[in-house]
């Protein structure tokens, strides 16, 4: 990145942090391709990467006050993207293990279709946390 471009990005970040209209939109346009590519490398799904890209920019919007060095906006945004991707992958692994454990406990096998996984996840999402947590612990940790 050239010094002039860095200065422009830094200025745009400062404008965004002070609430100037259009500054954040400009930052999104400048960085969305890079963030999408980074996320795609983690999640290997175009649809998921697109959803996570939106989530990253939403998190950046909400956390703008925590950015201390506007000249490091790109690195800060990439860190948010990496953390978002890792959290997504962790949730996905946890959900799959739960469903496989549930199926194994009921059938003795672990071949779960995507449709069955989606149905089971939808059912656990509606559970009160007081019931969901013990269920997750039982099937994931064997407690």
């Amino acid at each position: 990145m050239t010094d002039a471009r860095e200065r422009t990005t830094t200025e745009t970040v400062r404008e965004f942090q002070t609430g100037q209209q259009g500054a954040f939109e400009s930052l999104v346009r400048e960085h969305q391709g890079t963030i999408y590519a980074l996320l795609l490398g983690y999640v290997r799904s175009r649809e998921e990467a697109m959803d996570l890209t939106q989530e990253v920019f939403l998190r950046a919007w909400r956390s703008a006050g925590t950015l201390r060095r506007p000249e490091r906006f790109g690195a800060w945004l990439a860190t948010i993207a990496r953390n978002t991707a890792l959290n997504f992958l962790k949730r996905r692994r946890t959900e799959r293990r739960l469903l496989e454990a549930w199926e194994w406990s009921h059938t003795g096998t672990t071949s779960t279709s995507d449709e069955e996984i989606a149905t089971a996840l939808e059912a656990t999402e509606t559970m009160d946390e007081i019931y969901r947590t013990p269920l997750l612990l039982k099937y994931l940790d064997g407690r």
Side-chain angles (χ1 to χ4, degrees), residues 91-104:
R91 277 192 317 270
R92 189 165 64 184
R93 277 191 309 270
T94 299
E95 290 166 351
R96 284 212 179 258
R97 282 196 312 246
L98 172 64
L99 291 173
E100 287 175 0
W102 179 84
E103 185 176 84
W104 182 83

Side-chain angles (χ1 to χ4, degrees), residues 4-135:
R5 186 170 177 197
E6 284 178 17
R7 239 185 335 274
T8 302
T9 299
T10 301
E11 290 167 3
T12 306
V13 171
R14 287 189 180 119
E15 290 170 359
F16 161 58
Q17 288 181 312
T18 61
Q20 290 186 20
Q21 292 285 346
F24 187 69
E25 186 177 319
S26 176
L27 291 168
V28 170
R29 276 194 310 269
E30 182 179 342
H31 295 277
Q32 69 184 358
T34 302
I35 296 303
Y36 171 79
L38 176 64
L39 292 166
L40 185 60
Y42 278 100
V43 301
R44 310 274 189 215
S45 161
R46 290 178 183 192
E47 184 177 300
E48 296 293 353
M50 286 175 21
D51 288 345
L52 291 174
T53 298
Q54 291 178 356
E55 187 175 332
V56 166
F57 283 104
L58 180 60
R59 288 179 183 203
W61 173 270
R62 290 178 177 160
S63 303
T66 66
L67 177 59
R68 304 280 181 247
R69 296 177 57 201
E71 69 276 6
R72 301 278 301 146
F73 179 79
W76 178 74
L77 195 59
T79 299
I80 293 172
R82 183 181 61 88
N83 290 340
T84 300
L86 293 175
N87 288 335
F88 170 81
L89 293 171
K90 183 177 177 182
R91 277 192 317 270
R92 189 165 64 184
R93 277 191 309 270
T94 299
E95 290 166 351
R96 284 212 179 258
R97 282 196 312 246
L98 172 64
L99 291 173
E100 287 175 0
W102 179 84
E103 185 176 84
W104 182 83
S105 72
H106 287 83
T107 65
T109 65
T110 59
S111 60
T112 305
S113 74
D114 288 341
E115 185 176 313
E116 291 171 322
I117 290 171
T119 301
L121 286 176
E122 188 174 82
T124 60
E125 287 174 4
T126 62
M127 296 175 117
D128 288 337
E129 191 64 33
I130 194 168
Y131 300 112
R132 185 176 184 185
T133 300
L135 182 68

